Amino acid sequence: MTSIPRPPHAVVVPFPSQGHVNPLMHFAKLLAARGFFVTFINTDWMEQRIFKTPNDSAAVSNQLQEQGLQIRFLALPDGLPPDHGRVQAIYEYFQATQKLGPAMVRLLQSTANEAPPITCIVSSCFMSCTHQLATSLVLPRVVFWTFCTSAAIVFANCRMLLEKGYIPINVKEARRAENLITCLPGMIPPLRQTDLPTAFRVEDTADSTFQLMMYESEIQNKADYVLINAFEELEGPEAAEGLSKGYPALPIGPVFLPDFLQATKSSVSVATSLWEEDLDCLQWLQTKAPSSVLYVSFGSIVVMSMEQLHELALGLEASEQPFLWVLRPDISEGKATVLPEGFRERIGERGRIVQWAPQLKVLSHPSVGGFLTHNGWNSTLESISLGVPMIGWPLWAEQFLNGRFCKEIWRIGMDFESRVEDENALVSREEVEKVVRAMMEGPQGKELRKNVARLKEAATKAVMPGGSSYRNLDKFTSDMTARANSQFE
């Protein structure tokens, strides 16, 4: 009697921050829709922030199963005290995640009878502990890049950049020299040193964070398979080849888009927001004219000085443009945010301020005509996919590369001249007003909207049947399914 093969089983492990959990959760649903059994592993801290109560994850898992999607959620301690800053103390956070490998092995072994045999380990970049996990369980390790392909190539080639003297970076000297980087693999545009991630802006290569990035880079390159949350039409099909070290490297994004395009009232939404979303802002958007609202959000980690927040607020006020501003409770360097006196009264119904917003629903709303963003990759890719041009305000990590590509390569964004000269410069209220007016009222903004509309169409085609990302995801799932079937031969 021939046995019936059990489904492929992917263990999905995001780095425990919202910018990694979000795309990995969308990816998990894509796998489950293709017949995979998925185990999604969070840390306890992240699990509690997402699901709020211990029973929520089980309830969501049951709802998904009712729709034929087999996803179970597991969690383990990250080894840090409850009051630790986590992503706000990034070096210690990385150190903690690097030690999670043995605990993950024990967790999976203790729950092995609840799931099919594991086929592969999929982790977001910067989760080097999963290399130890995959090695211990003798399984292929898949690295999922949560950046654009060009930024992923930069991170994957830290050693080369160090050996050729491009890192560490002296920003002032780099701005004067404008020494273009042309040695990176893949057909990406030449980079400036100031495009490189902020982790490389240190005076001494012995710097602990610098060394941590070097280590993570080397472990990431030991993958058996690479997936990228981008689409070929954005950077060219050759770009992904720059990430391959003899194994497949496939752009499969935007991973959020298939679910978003096909959303129905019956589909199960897995909330991954660390803050409660203000849904009332969608009703407020309904009162505004098409393409008239500027959406302002700096993501889940960025902090700003109170002085800069005041200049931004007064610039938005002076622009006379409607705006929806996400103002996190912790955005002002851990202090309670106090806006300029009388600001809320003066803007009235022209502006809406919320602690957190349902970003995909906001960006896809007809009244939104521009996005003032930190250029994190999730936000940038969502804005591209939903056809909204950007005003870039990058602050750390690879955001400077994303911002320059939006402005100069893809021509879907603008920025602030003062921050081009000095990224730590205070952006004045006058410059905020000028740039916001140019985006929302000027001919440049209209041209950017036309350009991003073309990329929106390309992103949609990429994830639909026959599209580049759809085909690449099919290749990955076919490869893993073949491996799962071989386990039963």
Side-chain angles (χ1 to χ4, degrees), residues 255-295:
V255 291
F256 83 90
L257 195 52
D259 196 37
F260 182 81
L261 293 172
Q262 300 171 20
T264 64
K265 292 182 179 180
S266 60
S267 65
V268 178
S269 175
V270 183
T272 54
S273 173
L274 304 190
W275 290 273
E276 185 175 353
E277 296 174 341
D278 186 324
L279 298 178
D280 290 341
C281 69
L282 300 175
Q283 297 179 357
W284 177 84
L285 286 173
Q286 287 290 93
T287 68
K288 304 304 175 187
S291 300
S292 68
V293 176
L294 178 71
Y295 175 51

Side-chain angles (χ1 to χ4, degrees), residues 415-430:
D415 56 18
F416 298 95
E417 290 184 10
S418 60
R419 299 193 77 252
V420 172
E421 298 300 321
D422 177 5
E423 63 206 39
N424 296 314
L426 183 77
V427 181
S428 69
R429 65 193 73 176
E430 291 82 9

Side-chain angles (χ1 to χ4, degrees), residues 452-463:
V452 78
R454 289 192 287 268
L455 285 182
K456 173 186 177 180
E457 182 180 359
T460 300
K461 287 182 178 178
V463 301

Side-chain angles (χ1 to χ4, degrees), residues 55-74:
N55 295 327
D56 283 356
S57 61
V60 169
S61 183
N62 289 336
Q63 291 174 345
L64 289 167
Q65 190 167 358
E66 290 174 0
Q67 294 193 0
L69 305 179
Q70 293 186 296
I71 303 177
R72 67 168 178 170
F73 299 95
L74 299 179

Side-chain angles (χ1 to χ4, degrees), residues 354-406:
V354 298
Q355 290 190 356
W356 200 246
Q359 183 157 294
L360 295 179
K361 293 179 180 179
V362 169
L363 288 173
S364 63
H365 199 283
S367 69
V368 173
F371 184 10
L372 175 50
T373 171
H374 63 308
N375 278 130
W377 183 240
N378 284 334
S379 290
T380 300
L381 187 59
E382 289 164 4
S383 202
I384 289 170
S385 303
L386 299 174
V388 181
M390 286 162 274
I391 301 172
W393 194 316
L395 289 152
W396 77 306
E398 91 299 353
Q399 296 165 8
F400 295 95
L401 183 152
N402 298 337
R404 186 170 81 83
F405 275 35
C406 284

Side-chain angles (χ1 to χ4, degrees), residues 443-487:
Q444 185 180 0
K446 292 179 180 178
E447 184 64 25
L448 297 179
R449 269 183 277 281
K450 291 179 182 178
N451 293 342
V452 78
R454 289 192 287 268
L455 285 182
K456 173 186 177 180
E457 182 180 359
T460 300
K461 287 182 178 178
V463 301
M464 299 301 286
S468 58
S469 293
Y470 192 96
R471 295 194 308 271
N472 286 340
L473 185 57
D474 271 352
K475 173 174 171 49
F476 171 72
T477 55
S478 295
D479 288 350
M480 293 301 114
T481 299
R483 186 184 189 282
N485 290 340
S486 70
Q487 293 175 298

